[in-house]
């Protein structure tokens, strides 16, 4: 294989809603370029793209797949992305390392929620995009309706380059207004006839051509002047104008095809070969220091690793983009994130499981290496003297969480190792071995996401697992001041134990002053702030520990022990065993014994005094609240809102966004457990949502009573 220069490389993310035909299109392209001799099918479980066992079993893409092939003196690097919103991590990583997107739209369904969601990422990253209405041969195909809905969403930016002749069983041709030709397929033909546009289509074709001509001219002053002077442009000039419009994100060319019957696939490949930008044509990425790193083949080497998979009979395969320089077989590089040295014994271009060994890949190229010793997803390898690091991929927050455990407890360690490995392959997983909840919590993008995790653990790793409702990370706090004292005394021959602590607790908020006098049951307690420690708690909130002891009632050497006892109770709150937060503790008096007092005595005295005071201080349970944003078709808005209100949601606002209604609400985490499944059921899978932690708020009193009873029952059982 020749060494391709940066301007000869095309990196394209292949995206679209689930079922739009991305994998089928990829198969047709690989067949057209000669990389495969026979096209596989989803039903046949023999496609190049979906080659993992879980994908064959489920019949849909789970992983993004790199598909590299040579086409007319260019290196085309496609990343075929999963269509399901549950596997959006593959879309996000692919869009960040490619230079444009090819979005497929199902001609039978038109614009779907997945289309909207993926387009949002394209928009945020300002990536050029080409749209392809696929499955024109389906009996329910409706190009005009699809075009209309696209224009409703994106306006005049949608500019058709082609339109179909017929649809469903009558679909046999495409009018290409850029080429000014009709491509017509006879039954059973492998290639189209290229004909002049017939009179019956002339008027429509001219209207489309004029719109394309004007859209192309608008993106370049020189082209605009020529268009005004001569009233037309050459095909090459129009392509130039289209590319500039794509780069400025003001023009989205629209094509149509039937990937299954390989109709018009060759044409879209040629268009992308000529018009898709190279890495040198798009804005250069920036490193973690904010410096541009241009794709210069003569610069020092930097490789960014955006994906890791573990494949049967091979082991770990690490996928990278050459951000700068030229990487060669045998290069020794340094991992900027881990400090380790790494040798690239072999490098490859990849098309699914087809790996082609190459000697060199220049800046802008996408390739792979196998069995690297210490490289993880998101790492950067640099040549000596270069210190680039990249962190530009921002993954969405998880939306679905479950506790997981091995059915056979002896497999717990093995399960932990497998989960760690899977997170390397898909960074949208969050895996937490929660000390607080005493559970392993896995969080992902949806029910299908977790179901796939379970399939892989049980089929690939032979670990039988079960999911459970995760416990909620409640917090405990207080709402008023209270006082308590506790004497720990123990005598059992020889030296005894003695420690007495008097303290006051009160709710704490940032910057609040401390009173000089507290009153409890008609009695005044004067305090003096001799020393204050503000402890930022790992689980959020603060503990403020105030030393107000006068006259040496407790020696200062015992104060750390008192604080340790209080912290122990903060870690296991008096109400439900949840973490406590936002409390000020004032130790103002106590007693000690010249012989029997020691640290353990004061630790226990402090712990018990705090527990008693806490329970008398109007204790309340706090629950985590999440900001939830739901994108839903207007006709389902009422049902979705009713469902959210049934989940104790506070509706924060509504707005329209590109054909969908966007509903914003604050919802307790406890109520979001089954939301992914419920929303899909209510809307027929046409809505999506995102959620992000917001804050902690007091639970309603009836729920608090229920939680207290459940905890008491649990304590009795144990």
């Amino acid at each position: 294989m020749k060494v391709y220069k940066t301007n000869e490389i095309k990196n394209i993310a292949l995206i679209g809603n689930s079922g739009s035909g991305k994998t089928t299109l990829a198969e047709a392209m690989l067949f057209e370029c000669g990389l495969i001799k026979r096209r596989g099918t989803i039903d046949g479980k023999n496609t190049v793209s979906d080659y993992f066992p879980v994908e064959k079993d489920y019949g849909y893409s789970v992983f993004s797949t790199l598909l590299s092939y040579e086409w007319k003196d260019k290196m085309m690097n496609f990343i075929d992305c999963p269509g399901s919103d549950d596997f959006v991590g593959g879309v996000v990583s692919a869009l960040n390392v490619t230079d444009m997107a090819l979005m497929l739209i199902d001609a039978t369904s038109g614009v779907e929620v997945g289309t909207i969601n993926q387009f949002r990422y394209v928009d945020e990253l300002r990536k050029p995009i080409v749209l392809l209405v696929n499955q024109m041969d389906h009996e329910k195909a409706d190009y005009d309706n699809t075009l209309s809905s696209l224009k409703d969403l994106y306006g005049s930016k949608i500019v058709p380059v082609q339109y179909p002749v017929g649809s469903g069983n009558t679909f046999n041709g495409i009018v290409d207004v850029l080429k000014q030709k009709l491509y017509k397929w006879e039954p059973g033909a492998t290639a189209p006839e290229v004909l002049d546009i017939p009179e019956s289509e002339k008027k429509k074709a001219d209207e489309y051509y004029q719109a394309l001509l004007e859209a192309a001219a608008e993106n370049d002053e020189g082209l605009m002047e020529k268009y005004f002077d001569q009233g037309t442009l050459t095909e090459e000039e129009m392509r130039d104008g289209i590319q500039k419009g794509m780069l400025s994100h003001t023009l989205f060319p629209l094509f149509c095809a039937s990937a299954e019957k390989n109709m018009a696939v060759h044409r879209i490949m040629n268009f992308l070969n000529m018009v898709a930008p190279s890495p040198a044509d798009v804005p250069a990425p920036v490193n973690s220091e904010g410096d541009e790193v241009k794709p210069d083949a003569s610069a020092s080497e930097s490789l960014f690793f955006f994906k890791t998979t573990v494949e049967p009979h091979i082991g770990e395969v690490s996928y990278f983009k050459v951000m700068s320089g030229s990487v060669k077989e045998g290069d020794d590089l340094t991992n900027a994130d881990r400090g380790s040295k790494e040798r690239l014994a072999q490098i490859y271009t990849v098309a699914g499981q087809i790996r082609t060994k190459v000697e060199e890949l220049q800046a802008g190229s996408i390739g792979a290496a196998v069995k690297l010793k210490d490289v993880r997803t998101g790492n950067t390898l640099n040549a000596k003297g270069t210190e680039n690091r990249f962190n530009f991929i921002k993954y969405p927050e998880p939306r679905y969480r479950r506790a997981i455990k091995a059915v056979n407890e002896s497999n717990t360690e093995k399960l932990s190792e497998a989960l760690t490995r899977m997170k390397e392959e898909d960074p949208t997983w969050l895996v937490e071995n929660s000390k607080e909840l005493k559970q392993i919590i896995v969080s992902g993008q949806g029910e299908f996401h977790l179901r796939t995790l379970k399939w892989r653990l049980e089929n690939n790793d032979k670990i039988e697992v079960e999911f459970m409702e995760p416990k909620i990370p409640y917090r405990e706090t207080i709402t008023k001041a209270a006082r308590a004292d506790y004497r720990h005394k123990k005598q059992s021959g020889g030296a005894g134990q003695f420690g007495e602590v008097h303290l006051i607790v009160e709710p704490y908020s940032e910057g609040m002053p401390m009173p000089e006098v507290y009153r409890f049951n008609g009695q005044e307690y004067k305090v003096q702030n001799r020393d204050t420690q503000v402890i930022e708690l790992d689980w959020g909130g603060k503990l403020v520990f105030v030393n107000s002891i006068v006259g040496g009632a407790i020696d200062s050497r015992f104060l750390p022990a008192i604080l340790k006892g209080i912290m122990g109770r903060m870690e296991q709150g008096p109400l439900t065993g949840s973490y406590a937060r936002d409390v000020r503790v004032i130790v103002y008096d106590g007693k000690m014994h010249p012989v029997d007092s020691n640290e353990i005595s004061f630790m226990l005295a402090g712990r018990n005094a705090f527990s008693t005071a806490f329970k008398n201080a109007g204790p309340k349970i706090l629950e985590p609240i999440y900001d939830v944003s739901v994108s839903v078709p207007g006709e389902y808005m009422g049902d979705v809102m009713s469902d959210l209100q049934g989940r104790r949601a506070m509706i924060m606002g509504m707005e329209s966004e590109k054909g969908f209604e966007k509903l914003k609400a604050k919802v307790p985490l406890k109520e979001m457990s089954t939301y992914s499944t419920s929303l899909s059921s209510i809307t027929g899978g046409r809505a999506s949502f995102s959620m992000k932690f917001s804050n902690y708020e007091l639970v309603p009193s009836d729920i608090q009573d229920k939680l207290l009873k459940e905890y008491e029952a649990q304590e009795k059982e144990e």
Side-chain angles (χ1 to χ4, degrees):
M1 181 182 286
K2 66 172 274 193
V3 176
Y4 286 89
K5 297 178 181 177
T6 302
N7 62 1
E8 298 172 329
I9 297 165
K10 311 282 188 174
N11 299 322
I12 302 169
L14 183 54
I15 63 176
N17 200 78
S18 186
S20 58
K22 298 180 299 298
T23 299
T24 303
L25 175 66
E27 204 72 11
M29 291 192 297
L30 296 178
F31 177 76
E32 282 288 316
C33 74
L35 194 64
I36 59 175
K37 302 304 179 187
R38 184 183 175 202
R39 291 190 297 152
T41 64
I42 302 291
D43 290 340
K45 302 182 179 182
N46 57 354
T47 61
V48 173
S49 190
D50 290 352
Y51 62 92
F52 280 92
V54 64
E55 295 176 309
K56 292 180 180 181
D57 192 47
Y58 279 14
Y60 57 73
S61 299
V62 169
F63 306 100
S64 59
T65 304
L66 176 60
L67 303 165
S68 300
Y69 62 83
E70 297 173 283
W71 183 252
K72 299 189 176 180
D73 295 323
K74 298 289 194 301
M75 172 52 73
M76 311 295 291
N77 296 313
F78 278 85
I79 301 181
D80 179 16
C81 301
S84 169
D85 210 30
D86 279 25
F87 305 104
V88 69
V91 176
V92 173
S93 60
L95 285 171
N96 273 277
V97 297
T98 54
D99 305 307
M100 71 158 286
L102 174 61
M103 175 176 275
L104 269 64
I105 299 169
D106 184 350
T108 68
S109 305
V111 176
E112 301 174 82
V113 67
T115 314
I116 302 288
N117 291 341
Q118 293 185 14
F119 209 108
R120 189 178 296 120
Y121 291 115
V122 172
D123 220 22
E124 288 173 0
L125 296 168
R126 303 293 292 175
K127 295 289 182 178
I129 187 169
V130 171
L131 304 169
L132 178 65
V133 181
N134 188 30
Q135 302 179 112
M136 285 305 310
D137 59 309
H138 194 282
E139 61 180 10
K140 294 183 179 178
D142 190 338
Y143 176 85
D144 291 336
N145 183 60
T146 300
L147 175 59
S148 176
S149 58
L150 283 168
K151 282 187 171 290
D152 286 344
L153 290 172
Y154 307 113
S156 59
K157 292 183 179 182
I158 301 293
V159 183
V161 178
Q162 300 174 333
Y163 69 86
V165 177
S167 63
N169 294 332
T170 65
F171 173 64
N172 66 352
I174 287 173
V175 172
D176 192 305
V177 296
L178 178 59
K179 287 284 189 182
Q180 286 286 284
K181 293 293 181 183
L182 168 68
Y183 293 83
K184 187 172 183 180
W185 286 264
E186 294 297 334
T190 57
E193 289 182 82
V194 183
L195 307 169
D196 291 332
I197 298 173
E199 284 299 321
S200 60
E201 295 292 336
K202 263 291 185 185
K203 183 180 179 182
K204 185 174 182 180
D206 286 344
E207 289 175 1
Y208 276 75
Y209 179 76
Q210 195 62 34
L212 181 60
L213 186 61
E214 291 175 6
E218 283 176 0
N219 296 290
D220 184 276
E221 286 187 15
L223 292 178
M224 182 65 81
E225 287 179 14
K226 183 175 180 182
Y227 170 62
F228 283 141
D229 289 343
Q230 301 180 12
T232 190
L233 298 172
T234 66
E235 182 186 331
E236 186 176 348
E237 288 168 336
M238 288 178 71
R239 276 201 306 268
D240 185 47
I242 290 169
Q243 185 187 56
K244 288 178 178 175
M246 289 167 57
L247 287 167
S248 63
H249 220 59
T250 58
L251 194 159
F252 307 149
L254 180 67
F255 288 74
C256 51
S258 167
E260 185 175 1
K261 293 186 177 177
N262 200 8
M263 296 167 73
V265 173
H266 193 281
R267 172 69 178 110
I268 191 70
M269 290 171 70
N270 281 341
F271 179 81
L272 293 172
N273 181 267
M274 291 183 283
V275 177
S278 77
D281 297 324
V282 298
V286 296
N287 61 22
S288 57
E289 299 297 317
D291 301 321
E292 275 194 354
V293 179
K294 294 184 177 179
D296 180 358
S298 63
S300 188
E301 288 170 68
S302 281
L303 309 184
F304 174 69
F305 288 80
F306 65 91
K307 171 180 160 69
T308 306
T309 63
V310 177
E311 301 189 12
H313 314 302
I314 298 171
E316 201 166 89
V317 181
S318 304
Y319 295 84
F320 60 83
K321 182 175 185 180
V322 184
M323 307 301 287
S324 68
S326 295
V327 61
K328 300 178 182 66
E329 265 191 1
D331 281 353
D332 291 312
L333 304 172
T334 300
N335 191 320
D337 302 272
R338 304 172 73 82
S340 52
K341 303 291 183 184
E342 202 78 53
R343 168 163 286 191
L344 298 179
Q346 294 178 328
I347 53 177
Y348 303 88
T349 60
V350 176
Q353 285 183 298
I354 305 169
R355 279 171 288 277
T356 304
K357 190 168 163 296
V358 293
E359 293 182 359
E360 180 181 348
L361 291 172
Q362 292 199 356
S365 298
I366 295 178
V370 298
K371 298 180 180 178
L372 299 180
K373 65 179 183 180
D374 195 31
V375 171
R376 303 289 181 266
T377 301
N379 286 177
T380 304
L381 294 186
N382 293 318
K384 187 176 181 181
T386 302
E387 297 182 357
N388 286 323
R389 292 176 66 185
F390 298 95
N391 58 359
F392 48 75
I393 301 181
K394 308 299 180 189
Y395 293 101
E397 296 285 335
R399 302 174 300 182
Y400 192 82
R401 60 196 293 273
R402 280 291 178 268
I404 189 173
K405 73 173 186 178
V407 173
N408 185 339
E409 286 190 13
S410 64
N411 284 329
T412 299
E413 186 175 342
K414 188 179 175 184
L415 171 63
S416 181
E417 291 171 357
L419 290 172
T420 300
R421 187 187 70 243
M422 288 185 190
K423 179 168 171 48
E424 287 295 324
E425 297 180 37
D426 182 353
T428 60
W429 287 116
L430 289 185
V431 180
E432 178 193 5
N433 199 338
S434 175
K435 172 187 170 186
E436 174 188 5
L437 304 178
K438 299 179 178 63
Q439 291 179 316
I440 299 175
I441 306 294
V442 289
S443 302
Q445 294 300 308
E447 185 185 1
F448 286 150
H449 203 193
L450 267 74
R451 191 188 302 168
T452 304
L453 176 80
K454 188 173 190 290
W455 190 101
R456 294 176 63 197
L457 287 168
E458 293 184 342
N459 289 274
N460 297 348
D461 296 280
K462 309 304 179 188
I463 306 171
E464 190 177 351
V465 297
E466 60 179 328
F467 286 130
M468 297 153 290
E469 190 80 15
K471 297 175 184 175
I472 301 298
Y474 292 109
R475 298 287 181 263
E476 298 180 15
T477 193
I478 52 178
T479 58
K480 65 179 183 180
R483 190 205 71 82
D485 55 69
Y486 188 88
R487 174 180 291 182
H488 174 75
K489 184 176 181 180
K490 187 176 181 181
Q491 197 74 40
S492 56
Q497 294 181 4
F498 183 89
E500 185 175 322
V501 173
H502 298 224
L503 53 76
I504 294 168
V505 299
E506 66 178 342
Y508 176 78
S509 59
E510 195 66 40
M512 64 177 282
M514 190 179 83
E516 294 180 358
V517 178
Y518 290 87
R519 292 178 177 82
F520 301 103
N521 298 322
Q523 187 173 348
E524 288 189 353
Y525 295 85
K526 292 184 178 180
V527 295
Q528 180 181 349
N529 187 348
R530 301 189 64 194
D531 180 59
T532 299
Q533 293 182 57
V534 179
I535 299 157
E536 298 278 353
L537 301 170
D538 292 342
W539 51 89
K542 293 179 179 179
L543 167 66
V544 178
F545 182 73
V546 180
N547 172 12
S548 181
I549 293 171
V550 293
I554 300 175
D555 196 291
S556 60
R557 64 193 170 97
F558 293 128
L559 287 174
I562 296 172
L563 176 57
K564 185 177 180 181
I566 292 169
M567 276 296 296
R569 207 66 180 108
M570 291 282 288
E571 288 186 15
Q572 189 175 5
L575 296 183
T576 62
S578 304
Y579 289 139
R581 57 176 283 171
D582 299 325
V583 179
R584 180 154 58 195
V585 182
I586 303 151
V587 179
Y588 67 90
D589 201 0
K591 292 180 182 177
M592 58 184 181
H593 188 277
V595 176
D596 293 345
S597 286
N598 53 27
E599 290 183 354
I600 188 72
S601 301
F602 277 99
M603 185 185 78
L604 292 170
R607 176 186 175 91
N608 286 292
F610 174 78
S611 184
T612 301
F614 193 99
K615 290 178 180 177
N616 293 328
K620 288 288 184 180
I621 298 172
L622 302 168
E623 64 180 338
I625 304 296
Y626 276 66
D627 286 323
V628 177
S629 177
V630 187
S631 183
V632 57
E635 63 264 35
Y636 298 109
M637 175 62 99
D639 292 337
V640 169
M641 188 179 293
S642 295
D643 180 71
L644 280 172
Q645 288 170 337
R647 297 173 187 273
R648 298 192 284 127
M650 180 181 292
I651 306 299
M652 306 303 293
M654 292 172 282
E655 60 187 49
S656 295
E657 183 182 74
K658 295 180 177 176
F660 281 70
E661 298 298 321
K662 194 169 187 179
L663 183 62
K664 295 185 177 180
K666 289 187 178 293
V667 192
L669 177 61
K670 171 72 174 173
E671 308 295 338
M672 292 299 293
S673 172
T674 60
Y675 190 63
S676 176
T677 307
S678 178
L679 183 65
S680 180
S681 175
I682 291 170
T683 65
R686 294 187 61 204
S688 68
F689 76 101
S690 61
M691 56 186 284
K692 186 175 183 180
F693 173 75
S694 172
N695 61 300
Y696 272 88
E697 292 182 7
L698 297 175
V699 303
S701 56
D702 59 326
I703 293 177
Q704 174 157 322
D705 291 343
K706 182 181 177 182
L707 291 171
L708 292 175
K709 288 175 183 176
E710 287 175 355
Y711 185 68
E712 286 174 11
Q714 179 185 322
E715 290 284 278
K716 286 178 182 177
E717 284 180 14
E718 293 178 357

